[in-house]
Amino acid sequence: MTDLPAPDPVNAPYTGYRRAHWEHLADRMLLAARRYGSPGHALIDLPGPSSASGRWSDGLEGYARTFLLAAFRVAGADGADPHGLLDRYAEGLAAGVDPASPERWPTLPERRQARVEAASVAIALHETRRWLWDLLDDRVRNQVVDWLSPFLGTSDYDNNWIWFQNIAEAFLRSVGGPWLAEDIQRNLDRHDGWYVGNGWYSDGDSGGGRRQNFDYYSGWAMHFYPLWYHRILGEPPDPVHRERLSRYLADARHLVGAEGRPLIQGRSLTYRFAMLAPFWTGALFDATPLRPGETRRLASGVLRHFVDAGAPDADGLLPIGWHGAFPRIRQTYTGPGSPYWASKAFAGLLLPEGHPVWTATEEPLPVERADSLLSLRGPGWVVSATTTDGIVRVANHGSDHLPGRQAELDNPFYLRHAYSTHTAPDLSAADLREPVDSHVALLDPAGRLSHRGRIERAGQGDTWASSHCRPMWLDLSTTGGPAATWYGLRTGPWLTTASILRGPIEVRLVRVGTVGVRLAEPADAGPGSTGSAAGPGSTGSAVGPGSTGSAVGPGSTGSAAGPGSTGPGAGEDPEAHWHADPGPWRLHLGGYPVAGEQVETTTGADWARVTGPDGLVSAVHGLHGFDRTGTSQQQDASPLGHRSAVPWLRTAGPVRSGDVFAAAVVLAGGRVAPPEVTVRIGVDSVTVRWSDGNTETVPL
């Protein structure tokens, strides 16, 4: 983008971005979207594939989410509106809530998605109250109240949607409209029930007390809306909400790679820089551990990363995708207006121009200061960041976003064993049916790869985490269907996997076969529990009262399984009702996918490697049990490049119950020497010896 304001090399030595850049980009996005408005401006019908809710709902979404951006832009400028933004949104509002208008919005009962957009409309109306709401005539204001009022008394929300109701009813209350205290309290209670400690919320539960829905919604919804609820009511924010947000940001800042690359994990990734919403919320409500220069560097770094990569595009629009357009990244609810939840990233404009976040000198990101290794027990992640290449890697043993006992296709945004800031999961149709990348699977007699079932947490220490799952094969009754029916599902023997991280290396362990599963009571990770960075003499903390961990080495302890988890043991096997595959099975272990216009693949006797055009290297090295190597290649499967490839290891022969396998999984910003790592297999544990002689023992 060549028309940006002049950079600030003195106070923004990393990005060059100052407040003027944010204002410029907001204007550019808003003026680009304006071209697709209906005659009365009530619907903004942006180009792109429709959502499952249909174009009518998508038009409301385009209005509501860009209105939020316009509100932050104008309110942040104390009402200055040189482009006449609010006049158009006021006209659109009047047409949208008028039941007789040909451009009327779908009502909340007519389209469930309208409830999501109602929250954006409510926040935008609150922030522009002096310049828009207060100038409306009574008829329009009454019709707005009528449009929002169907929220009252409804309760069919089981995730972040509770906050759309609370935000709408808070606005109604603030303008003298109807609201129900019981709605608010019920939702606050549910919100608290999804808190798992250390600042982390699960985005709802999956039945049976399981709380394993971890992604950006924890920040851009579960932390963002509670504080805005109090802001709308004009009351001080709840100290608990501020404390939890601050604790969350202490972890979340470590999930951003060099050059502002966010972690590519979880659904709704097309919202892109919306992941900045909790960071700006922390600055707005004095609920952040980040210094002003850190917040400025992180926020401007993420925004510049996307701008440099082509988002917004040449026309100023945000297409469905990550960098540029990439429709495969969407979910069924994704429409052409969906990407404009990125508007939340501009909440920082509400801070005055003289605020320290806008005037402080940018400070380096955590990944730019020092290597780090963090154990995040809330989401069940172990995070390794390295300064030499700016990569952040996440080993995932706690987030699956799977419901109850329903069989679903493998979700590449949640069920991979590893994610990073520099790689994206394979989104090809082939990988949807048989996942390869960052995956541990069994191959059935026909050579078909299994899916990872529900993640059942096993343990977590300062450098490692482990989990159990029941691998599944889903034989689809219809090509590309969203779920398999009960007669199209087979299960294999339980797999226990563990990840031990150090720098660019993950030692990934696999044990085949365990006995049934005992359903555990949900652990309670209270507000006082904390995560810890790895270090000599450090210990992991138990997640819940009465839980115990397994030893990971002299003087250190691992934590018990996380909230709502289950693990192998005596008792009921929750997967026993599915058909069992008779075997025999072989084992597969996949590394990180690398994407680019060209990728280079090479293999050896016990290793496989993929190298991208920018020097990014993904490699797997067999340490124990694997005797076959290879790579899998795809086209147009990644939002990061036209071609992509994955290195993998497999067994040539069948696996048996009790067999243990080990591999080194490497992701680095350049060629690295083969990892000098050895493993010693014990009866119920594995000891890893690193090149410097240090050892770690992990239960398996």
Side-chain angles (χ1 to χ4, degrees):
M1 189 177 295
T2 59
D3 61 341
L4 289 169
D8 176 6
V10 176
N11 292 318
Y14 290 92
T15 70
Y17 275 29
R18 49 196 175 92
R19 183 188 174 94
H21 288 75
W22 288 79
E23 293 173 334
H24 173 86
L25 288 165
D27 290 343
R28 191 166 186 267
M29 291 166 57
L30 287 164
L31 294 176
R34 174 187 286 184
R35 299 196 301 269
Y36 297 91
S38 57
H41 316 304
L43 303 169
I44 297 181
D45 189 13
L46 294 157
S50 300
S51 72
S53 298
R55 300 300 293 196
W56 187 23
S57 174
D58 295 345
L60 166 60
E61 184 176 63
Y63 172 94
R65 299 188 182 196
T66 59
F67 182 26
L68 185 64
L69 176 57
F72 291 154
R73 173 68 176 95
V74 175
D78 197 27
D81 187 6
H83 300 293
L85 297 171
L86 293 192
D87 287 344
R88 284 178 173 258
Y89 282 100
E91 291 179 36
L93 179 73
V97 297
D98 182 355
S101 169
E103 296 181 26
R104 76 170 180 89
W105 295 337
T107 63
L108 275 57
E110 285 176 321
R111 290 289 189 279
R112 199 167 188 267
Q113 182 65 27
R115 308 177 195 199
V116 181
E117 311 318 323
S120 292
V121 171
I123 291 175
L125 287 174
H126 169 76
E127 296 300 334
T128 59
R129 192 179 299 247
R130 285 187 289 156
W131 308 286
L132 197 160
W133 178 264
D134 289 348
L135 304 180
L136 295 173
D137 61 42
D138 288 342
R139 179 186 62 83
V140 176
R141 283 193 290 220
N142 289 336
Q143 288 175 339
V144 171
V145 169
D146 290 343
W147 187 74
L148 291 172
S149 293
F151 262 123
L152 273 65
T154 59
S155 61
D156 59 331
Y157 314 113
D158 57 3
N159 57 11
N160 66 88
W161 280 46
I162 62 172
W163 282 106
F164 306 144
Q165 180 178 35
N166 275 19
I167 291 293
E169 293 199 29
F171 179 76
L172 287 169
R173 181 181 177 184
S174 75
V175 298
W179 64 285
L180 290 176
E182 52 266 39
D183 286 349
I184 304 299
Q185 190 58 52
R186 180 194 63 247
N187 290 339
L188 290 174
D189 291 343
R190 298 182 79 179
H191 178 77
D192 278 345
W194 298 327
Y195 185 65
V196 300
N198 302 324
W200 284 86
Y201 286 95
S202 172
D203 183 20
D205 61 44
S206 302
R210 298 179 76 253
R211 295 172 292 172
Q212 295 195 169
N213 301 339
F214 300 107
D215 55 23
Y216 285 120
Y217 278 90
S218 187
W220 66 36
M222 307 301 281
H223 282 297
F224 177 85
Y225 289 116
L227 293 174
W228 240 272
Y229 168 80
H230 295 290
R231 181 178 174 93
I232 291 172
L233 292 177
E235 60 187 31
D238 187 327
V240 171
H241 292 155
R242 292 178 63 249
E243 177 186 349
R244 290 177 179 178
L245 171 57
S246 182
R247 179 62 188 87
Y248 169 78
L249 294 177
D251 286 348
R253 63 181 168 185
H254 291 280
L255 300 176
V256 179
E259 302 172 345
R261 293 174 179 251
L263 182 69
I264 304 178
Q265 180 271 342
R267 63 194 177 102
S268 300
L269 290 175
T270 193
Y271 301 165
R272 296 176 173 95
F273 33 89
M275 51 79 61
L276 294 173
F279 292 96
W280 285 124
T281 304
L284 277 160
F285 293 92
D286 192 23
T288 178
L290 280 70
R291 293 183 296 275
E294 290 182 88
T295 297
R296 179 178 182 179
R297 164 70 180 110
L298 189 149
S300 289
V302 169
L303 185 64
R304 177 167 180 173
H305 166 73
F306 282 103
V307 170
D308 290 349
D313 65 15
D315 295 325
L317 297 173
L318 287 178
I320 295 171
W322 180 247
H323 291 151
F326 191 75
R328 282 186 176 179
I329 208 169
R330 66 192 177 114
Q331 280 76 42
T332 57
Y333 55 80
T334 307
S338 297
Y340 287 84
W341 241 29
S343 299
K344 291 182 176 181
F346 290 81
L349 290 177
L350 296 174
L351 294 167
E353 191 169 359
H355 190 278
V357 166
W358 293 119
T359 61
T361 301
E362 289 180 342
E363 299 182 28
L365 296 168
V367 71
E368 295 166 335
R369 292 197 296 266
D371 291 1
S372 63
L373 185 58
L374 301 172
S375 185
L376 308 185
R377 288 168 172 80
W381 292 348
V382 182
V383 183
S384 176
T386 46
T387 59
T388 55
D389 48 28
I391 299 173
V392 176
R393 308 156 192 82
V394 170
N396 173 35
H397 291 272
S399 179
D400 58 20
H401 209 274
L402 286 177
R405 297 190 182 186
Q406 179 181 340
E408 288 198 349
L409 291 174
D410 188 285
N411 190 328
F413 298 113
Y414 293 97
L415 283 168
R416 297 295 179 262
H417 275 77
Y419 295 93
S420 86
T421 54
H422 286 56
T423 62
D426 187 338
L427 301 178
S428 67
D431 203 72
L432 184 66
R433 291 172 177 78
E434 296 185 46
V436 175
D437 63 283
S438 297
H439 188 45
V440 174
L442 295 175
L443 292 95
D444 68 8
R448 292 188 55 191
L449 288 159
S450 65
H451 296 257
R452 189 182 190 183
R454 292 195 309 277
I455 296 173
E456 313 290 1
R457 299 193 195 192
Q460 188 163 350
D462 292 331
T463 63
W464 64 274
S466 62
S467 60
H468 315 283
C469 84
R470 195 66 171 268
M472 299 180 178
W473 292 267
L474 290 88
D475 301 320
L476 300 181
S477 55
T478 58
T479 302
T485 51
W486 68 270
Y487 51 81
L489 186 144
R490 296 170 285 129
T491 60
W494 284 88
L495 295 179
T496 300
T497 57
S499 301
I500 308 100
L501 273 64
R502 193 184 221 206
I505 302 170
E506 172 200 347
V507 173
R508 190 176 300 167
L509 308 172
V510 186
R511 182 174 184 174
V512 180
T514 60
V515 295
V517 166
R518 174 176 51 83
L519 297 177
E521 290 297 321
D524 179 17
S529 61
T530 60
S532 59
S538 61
T539 62
S541 60
V543 177
S547 59
T548 59
S550 302
V552 296
S556 65
T557 63
S559 69
S565 62
T566 60
E572 179 192 358
D573 179 350
E575 311 298 348
H577 58 294
W578 299 119
H579 294 297
D581 185 89
W585 313 280
R586 294 182 295 124
L587 187 67
H588 162 91
L589 184 147
Y592 288 92
V594 169
E597 290 309 302
Q598 297 290 335
V599 292
E600 174 189 332
T601 62
T602 50
T603 58
D606 60 357
W607 58 270
R609 183 174 63 235
V610 175
T611 305
D614 57 355
L616 185 67
V617 173
S618 170
V620 288
H621 297 260
L623 300 178
H624 182 80
F626 293 102
D627 49 13
R628 181 170 292 179
T629 67
T631 61
S632 295
Q633 302 181 48
Q634 295 285 354
Q635 289 194 8
D636 300 321
S638 171
L640 301 181
H642 178 57
R643 293 180 173 83
S644 57
V646 179
W648 50 257
L649 304 170
R650 291 177 182 171
T651 62
V655 297
R656 298 170 300 178
S657 181
D659 285 350
V660 176
F661 302 84
V665 179
V666 179
L667 181 66
R671 188 67 59 86
V672 293
E676 298 178 14
V677 183
T678 59
V679 296
R680 186 175 72 250
I681 311 299
V683 175
D684 55 8
S685 65
V686 174
T687 299
V688 176
R689 183 181 182 88
W690 300 98
S691 58
D692 60 4
N694 286 327
T695 63
E696 295 177 83
T697 300
V698 176
L700 205 61

